[in-house]
Amino acid sequence: MRALRILLVIAVVLGGIFVIVDRVAVHFAEGEAADRVRASEGLASTPDVDIQGFPFLTQVLGGSFDDVRVGISDYEAGGEGGKTIRIADLRADLRGVEFSGDFGSAVADTATGTATIAYDELLRNAKAEPTQVAPGITAEVVALSDGGNGKIKVALETTVLGTKLPEPVSVLSSVTVVDGNTVRVRADALPVLGGVEIAESRVRRITDFEQKIDGLPGGISLEKVQAAEDGVDVTVTGKDVRLAG
């Protein structure tokens, strides 16, 4: 019995040592992977990398990770005409990640995740300067906000014969993804500006706009989008997503 107790103690100690070594190794690997992603994507700050699963060392021996989660804050994506658009928070869950021994390259079979784009970022690409919609009447988008039920509320400031109306006119708009890389905002119904009916084509020149979003990490693309409290929440997805190398 004494020998059995000794064996059990040794097993527990060795198990504890293995767990400690495993956790130290995964922490080191996460740091290396984060540095590689930062360099590969040209990020201003180091992303969060979380390698899931236990034990870590057996996954290393197999040359792949089942699940890796990456978080990037304030990512600068490409927009229209050489402009950039800031993504406040980008989170991706990567499955089936094959990697090289030094983590110099890593490719995931699939990726799903979310991204948040603040309303002020979308507003930069709206028709944010006065535009004539009828003789003596100009309008411009001055604010975007949550309209409820997945809609965006677009606030329009109207000027009639040189005088700004005291209150902006608001319109509810639907937001959708087009071609996997563009967020489209389109008014559900047309507002009355300056107290007169205005041709739909002229009004939509102000109310409707698109924001292209290119250069997302690893080639992931937009799948769907919905208005939320502080901005639009975007679902992203991808296959054969390259994290580094």
Side-chain angles (χ1 to χ4, degrees), residues 11-220:
V12 170
V13 170
L14 290 178
I17 292 173
F18 175 78
V19 170
I20 292 172
V21 171
D22 191 80
R23 294 301 88 191
V24 170
V26 73
H27 181 72
F28 173 79
E30 288 170 345
E32 287 293 307
D35 289 340
R36 296 287 186 176
V37 173
R38 178 177 181 175
S40 178
E41 297 295 334
L43 303 177
S45 60
T46 303
D48 296 326
V49 175
D50 184 7
I51 300 173
Q52 299 287 297
F54 179 83
F56 163 76
L57 293 174
T58 57
Q59 295 184 76
V60 171
L61 292 176
S64 67
F65 297 128
D66 294 333
D67 185 1
V68 177
R69 298 173 186 178
V70 178
I72 303 174
S73 299
D74 297 329
Y75 182 79
E76 296 285 340
E80 296 284 353
K83 295 180 180 179
T84 60
I85 180 167
R86 182 175 62 86
I87 298 176
D89 189 38
L90 176 62
R91 302 281 163 181
D93 190 358
L94 310 161
R95 300 283 181 166
V97 181
E98 303 282 340
F99 60 90
S100 62
D102 62 352
F103 300 102
S105 65
V107 180
D109 289 339
T110 61
T112 57
T114 59
T116 301
I117 304 172
Y119 286 120
D120 60 352
E121 286 294 307
L122 281 182
L123 181 61
R124 288 170 52 197
N125 207 53
K127 197 70 174 178
E129 67 271 356
T131 300
Q132 182 171 302
V133 293
I137 301 177
T138 61
E140 61 181 307
V141 177
V142 293
L144 303 176
S145 59
D146 182 15
N149 297 319
K151 304 288 185 179
I152 291 179
K153 183 167 71 173
V154 180
L156 304 165
E157 189 172 76
T158 309
T159 301
V160 179
L161 299 176
T163 301
K164 288 184 180 180
L165 299 186
E167 295 291 336
V169 175
S170 295
V171 59
L172 290 179
S173 299
S174 296
V175 56
T176 56
V177 168
V178 182
D179 298 329
N181 67 350
T182 302
V183 174
R184 174 179 290 172
V185 178
R186 181 177 172 83
D188 293 347
L190 298 180
V192 175
L193 301 176
V196 299
E197 295 288 344
I198 300 172
E200 179 175 353
S201 60
R202 288 181 174 270
V203 177
R204 289 201 179 278
R205 284 168 52 195
I206 311 299
T207 60
D208 300 357
F209 61 93
E210 296 182 349
Q211 172 65 66
K212 195 171 184 179
I213 302 173
D214 281 329
L216 292 175
I220 58 177

